[in-house]
Amino acid sequence: AHRRLRQAVTDSLGRVDPAALRGYVERSADTLIDRFAPYGEADLLGSYAKVLPLLVFNQLFGCPPALGERLVGAMSAIFDGVDAERANAQATQSFIELIGLKREQPGADVTSWLLAHPANLGDEEMIHQLVVLMGAGTEPQQNLIANALRLLLSDDRFAGDLSGGAMPVEDALDEVLWLDPPMANYGVHYPVHDLDFGGVRLRAGEPVVISYAAANNDPALVSEQRGGNRAHLAWSAGPHTCPAKDSARLIAAVAVEKLLDRVPDLELAVPADRLVWRPGPFHRALTALPARFPPVPAPMPAPVRDQFDETPGDTRWNVRPAQSQSTPPAATSTPRPPESASRGPRRVWSSLTAWWRGR
């Protein structure tokens, strides 16, 4: 069952070309930077790291901007544990609207490719796959970008290199993924019987949340040099490892590089130890990342449309054939009878835990 769902996801993500993705991230980053660069100060989280993944998600999944904003807001509330029931209902309804839109108007986007995949996903299954993809593609992505920027601007090992003209972005990403992974705790598991583990009694069927951050910071693994070492658990591991980790890392690296290139002499507006971390049992996320810098004049507007007006599902995403060995997907998705209403309301949050349980 897991292989069937996983194949649909990996095949669909595999149709996104890295060069096209890099180009879109760069253009989106430029659009955002142009908006705050002339002012000499900005919240790099709210004005940049948080918005950029939303733009990428809207483009990749063929999601209209207003609908995408609703989805990101709902998923953030779920991760924060703030009014999660209401957020769950809002996310579910938004996903239903997106799936309905793509059944009516399929395009060159991940949502349409999932619907057209030979796995023949039903609406319920589509909702859960999109929940996981969006949960991993927006909230953790913004945290990875913001945490990398915090490290680069506050840690002398990196700040010194930046002032000298180098930009050790890849090393900073490795450091963050080891020490401050965007999803610090997740990977829910359920004991199949009662057992004692490390002096703790675990009851059958009770959820056990795995801490990636704690595993990565095992004293036996401590090393002064994290750069280039990617043996951490920030992307999980095994059959449930993140299927989009290469794309996620590319997005973060391009976002950080573009900002440091466009806005020189960037520095934190408050001491690093005064930055505030958001509450929540799963993520490692800042509430804000205030920064200052010498104002940078905005470039002359180019005679092209604004990136925020870009049509979702742009055909340039579909520049590589799917890598699946399965039957080629149909050109358009095939409508499927609606799920029975007797099953009760769909729960978005349940799919996040079910994903890691392989169900």
Side-chain angles (χ1 to χ4, degrees):
H2 178 256
R3 279 196 302 272
R4 169 176 166 267
L5 298 173
R6 175 81 176 199
Q7 194 65 57
V9 169
T10 54
D11 285 353
S12 299
L13 291 175
R15 298 182 69 170
V16 177
D17 179 69
L21 178 60
R22 173 180 286 275
Y24 186 73
V25 175
E26 288 178 344
R27 291 189 294 275
S28 298
D30 277 331
T31 299
L32 296 174
I33 294 168
D34 288 346
R35 294 181 173 186
F36 60 75
Y39 298 101
E41 61 181 11
D43 172 10
L44 297 180
L45 177 64
S47 299
Y48 190 66
K50 189 171 185 176
V51 187
L52 188 59
L54 170 60
L55 296 180
V56 175
F57 179 88
N58 287 348
Q59 182 72 10
L60 280 173
F61 289 80
C63 190
L67 183 57
E69 230 175 295
R70 262 195 287 148
L71 282 167
V72 171
M75 295 301 292
S76 295
I78 289 174
F79 278 113
D80 284 337
V82 177
D83 200 1
E85 286 295 329
R86 186 182 67 83
N88 175 77
Q90 179 179 318
T92 300
Q93 182 57 41
S94 299
F95 281 122
I96 290 172
E97 290 178 29
L98 177 60
I99 293 166
L101 173 65
K102 289 302 159 182
R103 287 203 185 278
E104 293 276 337
Q105 304 172 29
D109 55 72
V110 174
T111 308
S112 298
W113 295 333
L114 278 169
L115 285 166
H117 194 273
N120 198 23
L121 303 182
D123 284 359
E124 187 82 17
E125 293 174 319
M126 279 294 302
I127 288 173
H128 294 309
Q129 303 322 301
L130 291 174
V131 163
V132 175
L133 289 169
M134 182 175 188
T138 53
E139 177 77 20
Q141 185 75 64
Q142 77 180 41
N143 298 338
L144 178 57
I145 295 170
N147 293 357
L149 287 170
R150 179 194 67 84
L151 182 65
L152 285 162
L153 298 177
S154 64
D155 192 308
D156 288 341
R157 293 171 300 158
F158 298 98
D161 288 337
L162 289 175
S163 63
M167 293 189 296
V169 172
E170 293 294 340
D171 288 349
L173 288 176
D174 287 334
E175 185 87 355
V176 166
L177 291 167
W178 273 101
L179 303 180
D180 280 319
M183 294 299 292
N185 311 303
Y186 201 51
V188 182
H189 289 258
Y190 297 80
V192 295
H193 54 77
D194 292 355
L195 76 157
D196 291 312
F197 184 81
V200 177
R201 186 67 171 172
L202 303 181
R203 301 293 182 183
E206 291 187 353
V208 178
V209 179
I210 307 303
S211 176
Y212 302 149
N216 290 346
N217 287 278
D218 185 329
L221 302 177
V222 172
S223 170
E224 292 298 320
Q225 180 54 259
R226 299 286 195 185
N229 185 345
R230 300 179 182 177
H232 52 73
L233 292 181
W235 309 112
S236 189
H240 297 283
T241 190
C242 175
K245 60 185 178 182
D246 292 337
S247 295
R249 189 179 179 108
L250 184 150
I251 293 168
V254 172
V256 174
E257 288 168 359
K258 176 62 74 170
L259 180 65
L260 296 178
D261 181 57
R262 287 282 314 276
V263 186
D265 301 320
L266 190 66
E267 63 179 15
L268 292 179
V270 299
D273 59 7
R274 288 180 54 192
L275 294 172
V276 178
W277 297 95
R278 283 165 52 192
F282 303 107
H283 53 216
R284 177 68 165 161
L286 291 166
T287 59
L289 187 62
R292 57 178 175 241
F293 45 87
V296 179
M300 293 295 291
V304 295
R305 61 187 175 183
D306 190 285
Q307 292 300 315
F308 291 88
D309 297 328
E310 195 134 12
T311 302
D314 195 303
T315 55
R316 68 171 165 269
W317 290 120
N318 193 16
V319 296
R320 293 199 314 174
Q323 301 300 311
S324 172
Q325 300 302 311
S326 56
T327 306
T332 58
S333 53
T334 302
R336 189 165 163 156
E339 301 287 345
S340 170
S342 63
R343 296 188 181 182
R346 301 175 177 90
R347 296 184 56 85
V348 166
W349 185 244
S350 65
S351 67
L352 291 172
T353 54
W355 173 269
W356 296 105
R357 295 173 65 185
R359 296 185 180 178

